[in-house]
Amino acid sequence: MYNELDRTLFQSDGRFLEIFQLWVHPDYRRAGLATQLKSKLEEEAQYHNVNLIYTHTEAVNDHVIELNKKIGYQEVRRGPIWDDIIRVSLIKQLNVSN
Ligand SMILES: CC(C)(COP(=O)(O)OP(=O)(O)OC[C@H]1O[C@@H](n2cnc3c(N)ncnc32)[C@H](O)[C@@H]1OP(=O)(O)O)[C@@H](O)C(=O)NCCC(=O)NCCS
């Protein structure tokens, strides 16, 4: 599936960071925890000179897509991956020194 994405989005050494299966306890949702966690992830990626974070989610998860777009992710693919479920692939590109 990664081969379907534009190669030029990725840095030359091919490294990138993925995040999946984010889960916040229902009692603590809408308090910015997922946003904070993803912000921390960006710091970690930059620390390791990785310029791209990748995630995907089922297309029915509008709130997850909204969350990601709000913090600068862009949709790069929409379609089935390993089964018939439509999944939306999103990436965030970061400024790094390499
Ligand atoms: C998705 C999930 C991780 C979000 O965690 P969270 O800590 O509540 O998210 P945040 O507080 O950082 O939300 C940031 C923004 O995302 C959007 N958002 C998040 N949850 C939303 C919801 N249920 N409905 C609508 N928008 C939502 C909002 O724009 C929100 O900003 P706002 O609260 O100021 O309106 C959490 O709802 C969860 O664990 N859900 C069940 C598991 C899941 O679906 N995981 C994703 C698998 S791909």
Side-chain angles (χ1 to χ4, degrees), residues 20-78:
F20 297 119
Q21 297 185 329
L22 190 53
W23 187 89
V24 171
H25 189 285
D27 290 352
Y28 300 98
R29 287 180 188 169
R30 305 302 291 271
L33 289 176
T35 300
Q36 279 182 52
L37 184 92
K38 296 195 79 156
S39 169
K40 191 70 197 162
L41 192 68
E42 290 177 25
E43 282 177 30
E44 194 66 18
Q46 282 169 317
Y47 176 75
H48 292 284
N49 281 326
V50 169
N51 79 341
L52 187 141
I53 302 179
Y54 172 89
T55 190
H56 57 228
T57 187
E58 295 184 14
V60 292
N61 288 335
D62 286 329
H63 62 297
V64 179
I65 296 166
E66 178 183 321
L67 186 160
N68 281 296
K69 287 190 170 169
K70 220 172 181 177
I71 56 174
Y73 283 70
Q74 54 171 309
E75 182 176 329
V76 288
R77 182 185 183 277
R78 185 178 281 256

Side-chain angles (χ1 to χ4, degrees), residues 82-95:
W82 60 83
D83 56 19
D84 292 338
I85 294 170
I86 303 297
R87 288 184 167 83
V88 175
S89 300
L90 300 127
I91 62 159
K92 180 160 183 179
Q93 288 186 291
L94 307 167
N95 291 321

